[in-house]
Amino acid sequence: MNAKAVKDVLKAHVGRAYAPYSGFPVVALVEAEGEAFLGVNVENASFPLSQCAERNAVAAMVLAGKRRLERVHIYSPQGPIPPCGGCRQVLMEFGGPEVEVVLHGPEEEVRTTLGALLPLAFRL
């Protein structure tokens, strides 16, 4: 997908996030094997049970039978935000240090890699 199309999809879906406690909606799109998979954050009153957008997008990818990330996009209206540590590890499980991560905000974007975000990833 081209950059504008990705950002349009992200912005169109951010309202589907369930973030009544933090007021911090996030939508993620992972590109894998030529397809795109979306996820939004889903909060819960028992905060540890909340789910991150990135992990939900990976779950959609896995459900579709895909196993290899090509690129990750994350959008929040609050600006470009990096994935949490847990999501970094999950993303690394299906990608590698060279996988591009694009952090989108309403006006700006930051490009980095999984390796830069998690230089000492856990590997079996």
Side-chain angles (χ1 to χ4, degrees):
M1 295 178 84
N2 71 50
K4 182 177 179 343
V6 168
K7 189 157 185 179
D8 289 345
V9 168
L10 293 168
K11 289 173 81 172
H13 288 86
V14 74
R16 294 187 180 181
Y18 181 74
Y21 306 106
S22 70
F24 200 91
V26 179
V27 61
L29 181 147
V30 296
E31 295 179 51
E33 301 175 40
E35 295 185 47
F37 303 92
L38 286 168
V40 296
N41 59 322
V42 180
E43 295 180 349
N44 188 278
S46 176
F47 294 139
L49 298 178
S50 296
Q51 299 167 298
C52 295
E54 299 87 342
R55 281 183 266 170
N56 285 334
V58 168
M61 175 193 83
V62 169
L63 180 62
K66 308 301 181 188
R67 297 290 189 267
R68 188 73 183 153
L69 287 174
E70 295 165 351
R71 187 173 293 110
V72 178
H73 299 269
I74 303 166
Y75 174 82
S76 177
Q78 280 81 2
I81 57 155
C84 73
C87 286
R88 293 175 195 204
Q89 182 63 48
V90 169
L91 292 166
M92 190 67 84
E93 180 83 10
F94 295 95
E98 73 287 346
V99 170
E100 184 180 34
V101 179
V102 186
L103 310 172
H104 300 268
E107 304 297 325
E108 58 193 313
E109 76 178 29
V110 174
R111 291 177 180 269
T112 187
T113 64
L114 284 177
L117 289 171
L118 189 63
L120 299 173
F122 180 79
R123 296 260 187 205
L124 290 178

